[in-house]
Amino acid sequence: MKILVLNCGSSSIKYALYEMENGTVITSGGIEKIGLPDSFINVKLNGGKHKIDSPIEEHTAGVKLIFQVLTTGPYAVMQSLEELDAVGHRMVHGGEKFNQSVLLTPEVMEAFEACNDLAPLHNPANIKGVNAVKALLPDLPQVGVFDTAFHQTMPDYAFMYALPYHLYKDYGVRRYGFHGTSHRYVSQRVCEFLGVQPEGKRIITCHIGNGASIAAVKDGKCVDTSMGLTPLEGLMMGTRSGDIDAGAVTFLMDKLHLDTKGISNLLNKESGLAGISELSNDFRDIMAAAEEGNEKARLAKDMYYYRIRKYIGEYAAALGGVDIILFTGGAGENQWEVRAGATQGLEFMGVKVDMEKNKNCRATEAIISADDSRVTVCVIPTDEELMIALDTKALVK
Ligand code: AMP
């Protein structure tokens, strides 16, 4: 069984073709700069990466090009598109309508489109991707896997903002959470890795990448997560502020004469690690500069760790204790310093990281806590594409 996973953004389409008999990626790649004169596709195959420049005016042309690359020319891996069994899409905002992955019927697409207001940049791009596949292969089953779905089990007291209640009813203003496919994958995978059942387990999943979020998972279900109505809330991120006093938002709009676009830009694109360090949004650069004595980089690093640590404490309280803490995402998987900083001083709650194990672990599944640590601390590389492929397989079977 062959499944194509698509992640359609406003000007990009990432793809991965899976052989589901063994869950492996046959080929993958991505189109970038859709609509611009220098658009191109990158194809990854057998360890090589190949760039093909090509004018790609819109999403249907992009999907068509991916289909072409898969079936003809030097990087072809299929005789024809008939070998394809289904397409699984990463869909961003499913609102309250979707608590699990679904087959994309016209009714489902209508319900998804109704969530556009909540993710005006992302959802329309997802829809374009689905429509492009439909236009080219109308009978091929398509499945939607939503970033927000895993967090739909949060109780109301966790997902509500203390705003006038009617704003929730009228506009859907509440916390939804994101990175749900990643949190679901790693929270399931860690149980397999440790040989335990999700039932009865209290897990804190830390997805620390350029975007970053934490989830509290009990009995395999999400009970809280750090991102909210939008992916701006919660941890300090590469360029996002994370939690901030809402009063500061109106204060800054007044002081800097910013409209909604201006303040959104400041909070989403000019803040976080990049804003504090005035240097970079990449944690590797921050680490290097801090080591050379750059004071703003030191501050950015300390703030970053401290916020993760605070959320771990908060979620231990939400869960009534914690059995497993895991790290994933680019920085969580690769940077031992982030894991060390995020768990420093948590011995009081039974968290004891073995620094040797921690330093030796890079982008691989591993236990990094000491043998006598009450809480098991792990690294679990995330694999959202595989999760999407598995959901798609389950729904089309
Ligand atoms: P992501 O958004 O998941 O790609 O993560 C981006 C963050 O992870 C950046 O802050 C990087 O510093 C860090 N990161 C990603 N890949 C690596 C790597 N191979 N080694 C060290 N850090 C990495």
Side-chain angles (χ1 to χ4, degrees):
M1 184 183 218
K2 287 190 176 64
I3 287 175
L4 181 68
V5 173
L6 290 183
N7 180 352
C8 298
S10 54
S11 64
S12 69
I13 306 177
K14 292 192 201 115
Y15 70 93
L17 179 69
Y18 277 85
E19 176 47 75
M20 296 313 291
E21 306 317 320
N22 48 15
T24 53
V25 178
I26 302 170
T27 178
S28 65
I31 287 178
E32 287 178 43
K33 300 195 172 182
I34 294 176
L36 293 176
D38 52 346
S39 53
F40 62 90
I41 181 167
N42 269 325
V43 182
K44 289 189 202 161
L45 181 65
N46 301 329
K49 192 171 167 184
H50 316 275
K51 185 178 174 211
I52 310 168
D53 291 315
S54 172
I56 306 157
E57 272 170 25
E58 37 68 58
H59 284 68
T60 309
V63 171
K64 203 171 179 175
L65 178 61
I66 293 171
F67 285 169
Q68 254 174 25
V69 168
L70 292 175
T71 50
T72 58
Y75 314 117
V77 290
M78 294 192 292
Q79 300 281 327
S80 92
L81 290 172
E82 279 176 22
E83 288 176 42
L84 209 52
D85 293 283
V87 175
H89 291 266
R90 175 189 178 216
M91 314 277 275
V92 171
H93 212 311
E96 288 187 330
K97 298 200 171 85
F98 301 103
N99 59 10
Q100 58 187 20
S101 305
V102 286
L103 265 174
L104 295 173
T105 61
E107 297 73 41
V108 163
M109 289 310 291
E110 206 174 302
F112 180 69
E113 200 170 343
C115 303
N116 275 7
D117 268 1
L118 294 168
L121 297 180
H122 294 93
N123 278 20
N126 300 157
I127 293 170
K128 281 184 191 166
V130 176
N131 289 342
V133 175
K134 200 171 171 55
L136 298 164
L137 295 173
D139 297 327
L140 193 68
Q142 300 196 68
V143 167
V145 179
F146 306 90
D147 265 13
T148 47
F150 182 59
H151 304 304
Q152 277 297 302
T153 46
M154 281 193 282
D156 53 4
Y157 55 80
F159 73 66
M160 284 298 283
Y161 291 118
L163 291 168
Y165 186 83
H166 70 90
L167 296 177
Y168 165 56
K169 283 289 158 208
D170 293 346
Y171 301 108
V173 177
R174 52 157 282 182
R175 310 183 55 254
Y176 292 94
F178 298 86
H179 290 148
T181 311
S182 174
H183 288 292
R184 179 159 61 103
Y185 174 79
V186 292
S187 61
Q188 288 174 3
R189 181 66 209 145
V190 77
C191 291
E192 288 167 15
F193 175 63
L194 296 174
V196 297
Q197 292 300 314
E199 289 72 31
K201 286 282 171 284
R202 298 158 300 181
I203 308 176
I204 298 177
T205 53
C206 309
H207 178 117
I208 315 295
N210 196 28
S213 66
I214 301 204
V217 180
K218 196 174 196 169
D219 302 323
K221 294 194 169 69
C222 176
V223 296
D224 206 345
T225 191
S226 57
M227 284 178 168
L229 174 74
T230 76
L232 179 58
E233 192 180 343
L235 298 171
M236 176 176 176
M237 305 179 217
T239 60
R240 285 173 244 171
S241 65
D243 294 335
I244 178 176
D245 178 359
V249 175
T250 46
F251 178 88
L252 287 172
M253 288 177 84
D254 275 347
K255 282 276 176 219
L256 305 177
H257 309 294
L258 294 174
D259 58 9
T260 49
K261 211 169 174 180
I263 190 76
S264 171
N265 212 42
L266 187 142
L267 298 173
N268 281 292
K269 302 205 171 130
E270 297 169 8
S271 300
L273 290 173
I276 293 291
S277 71
E278 296 180 329
L279 191 74
S280 170
N281 65 325
D282 192 306
F283 203 75
R284 287 169 284 200
D285 300 336
I286 304 293
M287 288 291 306
E291 253 161 52
E292 283 167 12
N294 182 313
E295 185 51 26
K296 285 187 206 134
R298 193 276 310 155
L299 173 62
K301 175 173 74 79
D302 287 349
M303 287 173 70
Y304 196 68
Y305 295 163
Y306 180 63
R307 297 252 180 136
I308 303 173
R309 218 152 60 218
K310 267 209 306 197
Y311 263 100
I312 290 176
E314 197 173 293
Y315 286 171
L319 291 165
V322 54
D323 303 299
I324 301 167
I325 297 174
L326 72 83
F327 290 90
T328 195
E333 291 168 25
N334 291 291
Q335 287 177 288
W336 68 266
E337 297 94 336
V338 170
R339 302 187 294 254
T343 51
Q344 190 191 343
L346 299 186
E347 291 81 5
F348 77 93
M349 51 184 264
V351 178
K352 200 166 148 192
V353 168
D354 179 323
M355 262 329 137
E356 257 333 281
K357 289 187 198 167
N358 184 28
K359 283 184 182 171
N360 287 332
C361 174
R362 201 173 175 128
T364 179
E365 292 183 346
I367 297 175
I368 57 164
S369 44
D371 294 343
D372 62 345
S373 178
R374 199 170 47 68
V375 178
T376 308
V377 185
C378 291
V379 176
I380 303 286
T382 194
D383 197 339
E384 290 160 279
E385 287 81 15
L386 176 63
M387 191 86 255
I388 294 171
L390 289 170
D391 278 8
T392 305
K393 178 181 171 185
L395 280 163
V396 297
K397 248 191 161 175

